[in-house]
């Protein structure tokens, strides 16, 4: 009926950004320049920005990516998680996540080192990471292999 049609349209709508891309990008650049020196708020903003970026570039609800305490996002098309603990989860600390998002760390190296807590057969983000790469000037640019 009408409610199903409305719900389908809402789900199909692009996600609204909560983090201003200019502010998020600036926070990410600050982290890249000095990972140990950025303050807690800057680190949190960089994490939230990159999680949001992942959700925009790899829309879906089959995998949940968690970076406690800063945030979580559902991404990747596939079987939808609706209740309880998601079947496919990736969890890591902020340093690991930002390293993956920027291309400082590879999925394989982070996975092998034990820095990622992964559950579920679909919990593999190697095809969508990194989100951003350093062009050598310290400015993060869109990763050419990612979805735009």
């Amino acid at each position: 009926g009408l409610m199903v049609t409305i719900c389908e349209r809402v789900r199909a709508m692009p996600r609204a950004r909560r983090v201003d891309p200019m502010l998020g990008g600036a926070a990410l650049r600050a982290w890249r320049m000095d990972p140990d020196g950025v303050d807690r708020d800057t680190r949190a903003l960089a994490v939230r920005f990159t999680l949001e970026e992942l959700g925009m570039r790899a829309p879906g609800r089959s995998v949940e990516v968690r970076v406690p305490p800063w945030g979580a996002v559902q991404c990747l098309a596939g079987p939808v998680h609706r209740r309880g603990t998601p079947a496919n989860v990736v969890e890591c600390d902020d340093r690991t996540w930002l390293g993956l998002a920027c291309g400082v760390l590879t999925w394989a190296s982070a996975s092998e080192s034990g820095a990622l807590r992964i559950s579920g057969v679909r919990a593999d983000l190697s095809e969508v990471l990194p989100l951003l790469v350093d062009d050598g000037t310290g400015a993060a640019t869109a990763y050419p292999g990612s979805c735009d």
Side-chain angles (χ1 to χ4, degrees):
L2 178 61
M3 189 53 126
V4 171
T5 303
I6 291 170
C7 289
E8 286 172 357
R9 286 188 183 152
V10 168
R11 276 192 220 114
M13 291 173 60
R15 298 177 194 195
R17 283 199 177 270
R18 289 185 287 192
V19 176
D20 179 313
M22 296 296 286
L23 295 175
L28 188 58
R29 282 189 298 281
W31 180 84
R32 281 296 311 268
M33 300 296 268
D34 186 9
D36 295 320
V38 295
D39 62 37
R40 183 177 167 87
D41 291 341
T42 301
R43 194 167 57 249
L45 186 60
V47 169
R48 290 181 183 125
F49 169 65
T50 51
L51 285 172
E52 193 172 88
E53 191 69 21
L54 174 64
M56 300 288 279
R57 292 179 187 218
R61 295 183 11 211
S62 69
V63 177
E64 184 167 292
V65 180
R66 300 174 182 167
V67 184
W70 310 121
V73 69
Q74 289 186 351
C75 61
L76 297 178
V80 174
H81 163 69
R82 296 195 193 282
R83 299 181 141 202
T85 302
N88 300 291
V89 176
V90 174
E91 187 171 319
C92 61
D93 63 27
D94 52 19
R95 179 181 280 278
T96 301
W97 170 249
L98 292 172
L100 288 167
C102 293
V104 174
L105 287 175
T106 65
W107 181 262
S109 66
S111 183
E112 289 165 11
S113 74
L116 297 172
R117 291 171 295 288
I118 302 168
S119 63
V121 295
R122 297 189 46 82
D124 182 345
L125 303 178
S126 60
E127 295 295 316
V128 295
L129 293 173
L131 298 171
L132 307 159
V133 292
D134 193 329
D135 63 7
T137 66
T141 57
Y143 181 60
S146 63
C147 306
D148 288 322

